[in-house]
Amino acid sequence: MSTAPVIQVTGLRKRYGSIVAVDDVSFDVQDGEIFGLIGPNGAGKTTTMECVEGVRQPDAGRITVLGLDPIRDVYALQHRVGVQLQEAHLQKRIKVSEAIALWASLYRTSVDPRLLLEQLGLEDKRNAWFMTLSGGQKQRLFIALALINDPEVVFLDELTTGLDPQARRAIWDLVRGIRARGKTIFLTTHLMEEAERLCDRVAIIDHGRIVDIHSPAGLIRRHCPQRSVLLTTDDESAEARLRALENVAVTRADDGVLTVQGNAADLMTGVIQCLADHRIRVTDFQTVVPTLEDVFLKVTGHTIRE
Amino acid sequence: MRGLWNLTWLEVKIFVREPLGFIGTVLIPVVLFVALGRSLGERVESSSRLQGFVESDFPIFVVMLTAINAVVSLVAVIAIYREGGILKRLRATPLRPHTILTAHVLVKLIFTTMTLILLALAGRRFYPVALEVPWVSFGLALLLTTISISSIGFLIASVVPTARFAQPLGSLLLFPMLGISGLFVPLEAMPAAVQGVAHALPLTYAVSLLRGIWLGDSWMAHGWDVLGLAVVFGLCTALSSRVFRWE
Ligand SMILES: Nc1ncnc2c1ncn2[C@@H]1O[C@H](COP(=O)(O)OP(=O)(O)O)[C@@H](O)[C@H]1O
Ligand SMILES: [Mg+2]
């Protein structure tokens, strides 16, 4: 990596009374990547992100964003970053176009508000009051507000929480579009699927501590390399044939389903080859690839929903 | 102060869109003032005590009520904005915190001014007694008073935990202050202990200043009132800037 990281966090700590929300957190975010902070509710994601945004004062640690100190240089930084806060609201009776116009007037540079609303599919909601927007529309408005100043770094805190799957997918496409325009994106989510589909790299955070940082595929390879094939067949010889494959474990369930497990990347190829070579007829074939959920369970000892 | 005018104008528009926003703040006081004034006016001839009331105390009362109402609703707006996370969202922009708060004070001042101008016009036309009042001086005195009470409003807004308590608490603190401000019962007629309390309260100085200027006193005669209001403003602003919470 030739350029310096866009965000550098070292030894960040923050407590609320006796609750330690963030405990010695360190990570870097590189130029042009989508970096995700993932973990269950209460893990310390929002606190960490708000310290980086300069909205919250850390107790200890060093943070730089674009070479600036988020607390000391907050007004300089605000012109260069875009922020979407978790659980934000606007005035009930503010119109979409008024919110965009106000935001545009606050920054030194701004993109064309009309174009932005069009890109986010809000142009026919220009004159709607904030209180009349749906959850997805509100979220898109907040993304628009975060992009109005053509920021170099965009912060997105739980941007699809509470949205239906369709709206969620639309927003994912949008975020990819933002990265395609060369922006750096720092997001948080407690949705593992979202992290896996969207992020170039993720940091897993639990109880205020970073557990591991890598690309989603890298984390899976590192912590949950095991894949499985589940198949159903009437062929009595199948179990013995599959057992003959190298580095695999085969188990048979009560209902006759065979499970073939192994760590090798070409496990599927080996199984298919074996079935073909011995002309084994299967009536059902299913592969199970580990996800970030499995990684999370493995590294923290609990599921993300606990 | 970047964005102050944009934000102020926007908040004015938003306020007008609120159900009862404009009617409740601007029209109702004017209608009440005229109706009550007229019904009292019919009996003015028969009592000189009542005449004094109609000529100065009642108008001052209405003016104070308008100002206090504005401040109570300022407290409520700030509490609602804080609870809803709106203040926090605005603070994450280049808007400076004091710009956001100043905009809200300006909005209240704009509507209070509007109410008072309408009151004055309605008074000219419908009020039972003709009044010669130094309007410019009185306007200035009123501005000073409102800004000073607003700072109390900020202090209240800084400490109320939720929006639901903001409005009642504001009323609960400000209206009793008005009760012993000397407007209804002369200060000298009150028990010594109550007098002591009254002298520690800003509304007492506000009423004394407004009534004095209304009746044609010079500013010099009310130097202490002005000082009292200024001290309250300084104290409350300093305190609330220390304890104000944005979320
Ligand atoms: N303003 C606050 N006051 C007190 N405790 C807080 C506050 N904000 C967050 N917390 C606590 O800090 C911990 C981390 O919260 P948060 O950073 O919001 O986590 P996440 O965003 O991962 O859900 C939680 O235990 C939460 O209850
Ligand atoms: Mg959060």
Side-chain angles (χ1 to χ4, degrees):
Chain A
M1 196 60 57
S2 56
T3 51
V6 168
I7 299 173
Q8 273 185 298
V9 176
T10 328
L12 177 67
R13 285 174 201 278
K14 176 75 187 179
R15 58 196 306 164
Y16 301 106
S18 62
I19 302 169
V20 179
V22 176
D23 187 6
D24 195 16
V25 160
S26 305
F27 60 90
D28 290 348
V29 179
Q30 306 296 336
D31 192 15
E33 74 174 341
I34 301 182
F35 183 88
L37 197 53
I38 64 175
N41 283 327
K45 303 183 295 297
T46 297
T47 304
T48 303
M49 180 171 266
E50 289 184 351
C51 288
V52 178
E53 291 163 350
V55 186
R56 208 172 273 288
Q57 174 106 44
D59 295 337
R62 255 182 61 80
I63 304 175
T64 59
V65 181
L66 296 165
L68 298 168
D69 178 324
I71 295 294
R72 206 189 51 220
D73 310 320
V74 62
Y75 292 115
L77 191 59
Q78 271 166 351
H79 284 278
R80 298 175 62 189
V81 304
V83 171
Q84 178 251 324
L85 299 170
Q86 185 181 4
E87 303 241 339
H89 292 276
L90 292 180
Q91 293 89 325
K92 280 186 185 170
R93 292 179 177 80
I94 194 172
K95 289 181 187 171
V96 168
S97 58
E98 289 170 342
I100 293 279
L102 174 68
W103 255 250
S105 76
L106 299 176
Y107 291 93
R108 277 188 227 114
T109 51
S110 91
V111 299
D112 180 1
R114 276 184 169 278
L115 206 65
L116 193 57
L117 286 184
E118 212 170 283
Q119 279 169 355
L120 287 156
L122 287 170
E123 68 274 53
D124 52 337
K125 287 284 164 188
R126 290 182 59 78
N127 291 317
W129 289 351
F130 179 75
M131 63 191 276
T132 67
L133 300 179
S134 72
Q137 289 163 344
K138 283 181 185 164
Q139 206 60 286
R140 275 181 281 153
L141 174 58
F142 281 119
I143 297 179
L145 296 180
L147 297 177
I148 190 79
N149 56 330
D150 197 21
E152 295 159 61
V153 185
V154 185
F155 295 94
L156 304 169
D157 194 356
E158 302 269 5
L159 80 163
T160 65
T161 301
L163 299 188
D164 58 65
Q166 202 183 339
R168 188 167 283 161
R169 262 156 234 279
I171 289 195
W172 289 346
D173 283 340
L174 236 145
V175 174
R176 291 193 196 100
I178 301 170
R179 179 190 43 192
R181 292 205 302 278
K183 316 287 181 204
T184 304
I185 296 164
F186 177 23
L187 62 82
T188 76
T189 182
H190 69 279
L191 303 170
M192 293 293 134
E193 189 195 351
E194 180 163 289
E196 212 167 320
R197 295 202 174 204
L198 215 48
C199 296
D200 299 311
R201 286 192 313 133
V202 296
I204 299 179
I205 184 170
D206 192 34
H207 299 302
R209 293 180 149 272
I210 301 267
V211 185
D212 203 356
I213 305 180
H214 211 293
S215 66
L219 283 172
I220 292 169
R221 242 181 284 120
R222 184 182 293 171
H223 297 286
C224 301
Q226 193 164 68
R227 293 133 201 272
S228 324
V229 176
L230 275 65
L231 51 89
T232 315
T233 174
D234 298 331
D235 195 323
E236 297 292 329
S237 71
E239 189 173 346
R241 302 272 191 217
L242 288 166
R243 271 186 209 287
L245 290 172
E246 274 175 33
N247 298 323
V248 303
V250 181
T251 51
R252 176 189 272 283
D254 293 340
D255 55 3
V257 176
L258 292 174
T259 304
V260 187
Q261 287 186 308
N263 288 352
D266 59 355
L267 174 75
M268 316 300 174
T269 323
V271 171
I272 292 169
Q273 187 84 49
C274 168
L275 296 176
D277 287 352
H278 301 98
R279 296 177 178 273
I280 298 169
R281 267 173 46 92
V282 295
T283 51
D284 193 24
F285 186 94
Q286 217 182 324
T287 59
V288 181
V289 180
T291 63
L292 273 184
E293 299 253 18
D294 303 306
V295 172
F296 192 86
L297 178 63
K298 182 83 177 289
V299 297
T300 65
H302 61 87
T303 69
I304 188 122
R305 274 171 282 275
E306 275 167 25
Chain B
M1 282 286 174
R2 193 187 190 109
L4 179 62
W5 303 121
N6 287 334
L7 185 60
T8 306
W9 174 232
L10 187 58
E11 293 290 352
V12 165
K13 287 194 282 184
I14 290 171
F15 179 74
V16 172
R17 285 174 198 156
E18 254 160 57
L20 285 183
F22 186 76
I23 295 174
T25 327
V26 179
L27 293 185
I28 290 179
V30 176
V31 169
L32 277 181
F33 174 67
V34 171
L36 272 172
R38 284 185 84 99
S39 80
L40 286 172
E42 281 162 13
R43 280 176 277 155
V44 165
E45 306 297 313
S46 55
S47 147
S48 63
R49 171 81 187 86
L50 199 57
Q51 172 136 16
F53 182 73
V54 173
E55 279 178 0
S56 83
D57 292 356
F58 184 58
I60 301 283
F61 170 61
V62 172
V63 163
M64 284 302 293
L65 219 53
T66 310
I68 290 178
N69 256 329
V71 172
V72 169
S73 71
L74 176 71
V75 173
V77 167
I78 293 191
I80 290 169
Y81 275 35
R82 174 172 52 212
E83 199 164 304
I86 301 170
L87 283 183
K88 189 174 168 187
R89 186 61 195 89
L90 289 174
R91 214 161 70 106
T93 69
L95 276 175
R96 310 285 163 114
H98 58 250
T99 309
I100 302 169
L101 300 181
T102 309
H104 282 285
V105 175
L106 282 179
V107 172
K108 293 302 166 200
L109 281 179
I110 289 169
F111 283 102
T112 311
T113 310
M114 215 182 273
T115 311
L116 294 171
I117 289 175
L118 281 179
L119 280 174
L121 292 177
R124 279 244 160 115
R125 178 81 182 73
F126 299 111
Y127 210 60
V129 289
L131 298 172
E132 282 312 315
V133 176
W135 291 110
V136 175
S137 283
F138 186 73
L140 280 178
L142 190 59
L143 186 66
L144 181 66
T145 304
T146 311
I147 290 177
S148 181
I149 314 177
S150 293
S151 71
I152 306 176
F154 269 128
L155 194 54
I156 300 171
S158 306
V159 294
V160 282
T162 67
R164 274 178 47 158
F165 291 119
Q167 193 136 6
L169 188 67
S171 309
L172 212 63
L173 285 173
L174 288 170
F175 284 109
M177 283 194 201
L178 187 61
I180 58 168
S181 65
L183 184 60
F184 305 101
V185 182
L187 281 180
E188 307 80 59
M190 290 194 262
V194 181
Q195 272 190 47
V197 174
H199 278 295
L201 298 177
L203 293 200
T204 310
Y205 298 99
V207 165
S208 163
L209 175 69
L210 288 174
R211 180 154 51 188
I213 299 288
W214 181 268
L215 295 174
D217 288 359
S218 73
W219 281 86
M220 293 306 285
H222 292 277
W224 285 112
D225 296 332
V226 173
L227 187 68
L229 291 174
V231 167
V232 166
F233 175 76
L235 271 179
C236 290
T237 310
L239 257 178
S240 59
S241 72
R242 296 195 68 122
V243 296
F244 194 79
R245 290 173 297 115
W246 290 92
E247 48 179 300

